Amino acid sequence: MEFTSIAGEQKYAALVRASAEAVIGLDFDGTLSPIVDDPAQAHIHPDAGEVLLDLASQVAAIAVITGRPARQALDLGGLEEVGNAIGDAGKELYLFGQYGNERWTSTHRRVVGPRPPTGLASFERELPRALRRADAAEAHLEDKIISVAIHTRRLPDPDAAYARLLPLVEELAARHDLVVEPGRNVLEVRSAGIHKGLVVERLTEELGAGAFLFAGDDLGDLEAFDAVTALDKGGLPTLLVCSASDEENALVARADVVVHGPDGVLDLLRQLTADARALRA
């Protein structure tokens, strides 16, 4: 791991000291799972389950906060099995899907979420016209029931297609009272009023967190970074981790620690676990 400043090193040390009261928030894609062309094949890193279970013994709780549907993330991550093991250890694993619209915990083992937002069906009916206007008719559409994701990764020039689509999709979404969440070669359209930052705030209050770490990789994690920054300004020990790659480095300037992809994230979590255990030995 690479600290971005001396202050980053100091914040890591403070988090270790407060680890017993810490909540560990983790994005899924690009953080726990490598980015792949087909979202349905984005399986969690093979070492993640073991690392999360070991980490759970040293912290207050672990929360996976993702834009994916909760059920999809549970299946791709094998997180129900991980949650069972964490529960047996007397700790809790949370999973928040669709930016916090859906919630699952290892204690209450069912996904709770809202109905599709008003306007989404009309948006989807009009979307093909916008795709054609942007010369992106072959973009992959991922129906998430309460949102829709438009992926340009499979197109010949993903970045150019993304740039053409963004203003058209934003305009269309606004007409239907929806918002656009930009990501790495993906635009997600959903209802307003919920984002990863609100999950961070709610978890902190609900669990009485004494520290908070959040690790993410792209623009969809900005609100979570903002919320953790606010906690830091309020005096809570915090750590912001950027899972960077050759394709994505949007969060580097905001991070206390920069690691390389899921391998780097898991190495950091292993180090945190070891340092917290050594402190209490």
Side-chain angles (χ1 to χ4, degrees), residues 12-223:
Y12 174 80
L15 186 85
V16 171
R17 292 192 294 271
S19 55
E21 301 174 301
V23 175
I24 308 301
L26 304 164
D27 177 36
F28 189 86
D29 291 278
T31 302
L32 290 176
S33 167
I35 295 293
V36 295
D37 288 339
D38 183 356
Q41 299 302 316
H43 294 281
I44 201 169
H45 191 290
D47 296 341
E50 179 182 352
V51 171
L52 294 180
L53 177 58
D54 199 23
L55 173 65
S57 68
Q58 302 300 317
V59 300
I62 299 172
V64 177
I65 310 170
T66 175
R68 284 183 177 273
R71 174 47 55 190
Q72 186 182 77
L74 287 168
D75 293 343
L76 290 172
L79 292 174
E80 288 189 281
E81 292 79 5
V82 176
N84 277 339
I86 289 176
D88 289 343
K91 296 297 178 70
E92 188 84 90
L93 175 67
Y94 295 82
L95 188 138
F96 294 88
Q98 309 235 37
Y99 299 91
N101 279 292
E102 298 176 320
R103 174 178 173 134
W104 177 95
T105 73
S106 52
T107 298
H108 303 288
R109 296 170 54 82
R110 64 188 183 92
V111 175
V112 179
R115 295 180 178 180
T118 301
L120 184 62
S122 298
F123 171 87
E124 291 185 278
R125 284 196 298 270
E126 297 177 30
L127 179 58
R129 181 182 300 174
L131 296 178
R132 291 193 296 270
R133 286 178 58 195
D135 193 24
E138 299 305 314
H140 173 64
L141 302 183
E142 184 183 2
D143 186 354
K144 300 184 178 183
I145 309 300
I146 64 172
S147 68
V148 61
I150 306 159
H151 297 267
T152 64
R153 189 170 294 113
R154 300 180 190 177
L155 298 179
D157 190 340
D159 293 337
Y162 181 97
R164 294 192 303 270
L165 267 175
L166 180 57
L168 298 177
V169 171
E170 286 180 330
E171 178 186 359
L172 181 58
R175 292 208 305 267
H176 294 285
D177 296 321
L178 302 169
V179 297
V180 178
E181 188 75 49
R184 189 187 305 180
N185 294 137
V186 60
L187 298 170
E188 180 141 356
V189 179
R190 56 184 176 82
S191 60
I194 188 71
H195 52 71
K196 292 185 180 184
L198 290 177
V199 176
V200 170
E201 293 171 5
R202 291 172 183 175
L203 270 178
T204 302
E205 181 176 357
E206 180 180 328
L207 301 178
F212 210 109
L213 176 152
F214 186 83
D217 74 309
D218 68 9
L219 296 174
D221 299 309
L222 273 176
E223 287 94 344

